[in-house]
Amino acid sequence: MSTYFTTVITRRMPDIIQATLDCYSGSCRNCRRHAIVCRGGRKNWCNTSQHLKACGLTRLNMTDSDRATLQGLIEMRLGNAALQMTRRRLTTNPNESANRAFSASVPKNVKFSRNALGRVCSVIDRLNYGAGDSMLRKLENVQCPITKGGRVAHAVKRIQQDVVYQRQYARRPSVRLHRRATKSKRMRDYISA
């Protein structure tokens, strides 16, 4: 993966950035070959964008300064330095997720003089294994395992299934499509109001 990444993606990215800038400027001549979203022709990006339709825009008139600003914004995410960070997975998303979980179990406005370390370790275990499996591991470590096949075991299994379901739910194509349609409807309602 890393060899493919360094040779192909970083080599093609300048052409993709230029095709995107041309597309925003109104020229889709390089979109078929280099663009990711737009395919040129009648089904170009400007004609199919829900957000532009909601705003009543059919064409963007970009000046040279607009083009330079847009290029800087695109390179912040797709430039060589950003691609190297993405390659090493140096985004802050996992960090932010862990911070939210820590603040729920160990709030900053409460002092936990004796059990703060245990609470933090519990959060880490729950994030890594899920709530159900984490509960089973903790009970086994204090030598109080749950009887297999009982009502408690089924409840814990159900908790773990809910955790797995919630993790996979946001990645479903139907959920992503529904989220995009909801955003588009909100934007249309906002503009029409």
Side-chain angles (χ1 to χ4, degrees):
M1 176 68 182
S2 63
T3 306
Y4 175 80
F5 186 91
T6 55
T7 58
V8 178
I9 295 177
T10 55
R11 189 181 70 227
R12 291 188 60 199
M13 195 52 67
D15 293 332
I16 292 171
I17 291 172
Q18 287 305 314
T20 305
L21 290 170
D22 291 341
C23 183
Y24 271 85
S25 298
S27 171
C28 292
R29 66 180 182 270
N30 293 325
C31 288
R32 280 203 191 273
R33 184 185 297 168
H34 298 298
I36 298 169
V37 177
C38 183
R39 289 291 166 217
R42 271 194 247 165
K43 293 191 174 185
N44 64 20
W45 177 82
C46 288
N47 292 337
T48 58
S49 172
Q50 295 176 357
H51 301 297
L52 289 179
K53 282 181 187 175
C55 296
L57 294 173
T58 57
R59 189 165 181 267
L60 299 175
N61 296 321
M62 290 182 52
T63 62
D64 290 337
S65 64
D66 294 338
R67 188 177 171 99
T69 303
L70 182 62
Q71 183 172 3
L73 292 171
I74 291 173
E75 287 183 355
M76 280 175 47
R77 185 62 188 102
L78 299 177
N80 194 25
L83 287 175
Q84 294 305 322
M85 287 178 65
T86 304
R87 175 184 173 198
R88 296 187 189 103
R89 297 180 186 261
L90 297 176
T91 63
T92 62
N93 291 342
N95 188 18
E96 297 298 328
S97 172
N99 285 340
R100 279 192 300 273
F102 289 136
S103 66
S105 292
V106 188
K108 293 179 182 177
N109 60 346
V110 179
K111 290 188 178 182
F112 297 98
S113 58
R114 294 184 182 189
N115 61 354
L117 182 61
R119 284 174 168 264
V120 170
C121 291
S122 175
V123 170
I124 292 170
D125 196 58
R126 189 174 65 236
L127 289 174
N128 287 337
Y129 296 102
D133 289 348
S134 174
M135 187 184 308
L136 291 174
R137 288 167 47 90
K138 291 173 199 169
L139 290 171
E140 286 175 6
N141 282 335
V142 295
Q143 297 173 353
C144 184
I146 293 175
T147 307
K148 295 187 183 204
R151 291 174 64 188
V152 176
H154 286 298
V156 171
K157 183 178 178 183
R158 180 68 185 164
I159 290 170
Q160 184 63 23
Q161 288 173 345
D162 287 343
V163 168
V164 171
Y165 175 80
Q166 290 297 328
R167 285 181 180 174
Q168 294 173 349
Y169 179 79
R171 298 180 188 149
R172 291 183 182 172
S174 61
V175 173
R176 289 181 177 179
L177 186 65
H178 182 265
R179 219 177 357 216
R180 193 168 49 204
T182 304
K183 282 183 185 177
S184 178
K185 183 182 180 308
R186 276 193 209 137
M187 182 174 280
R188 281 194 307 269
D189 291 346
Y190 175 75
I191 290 170
S192 65

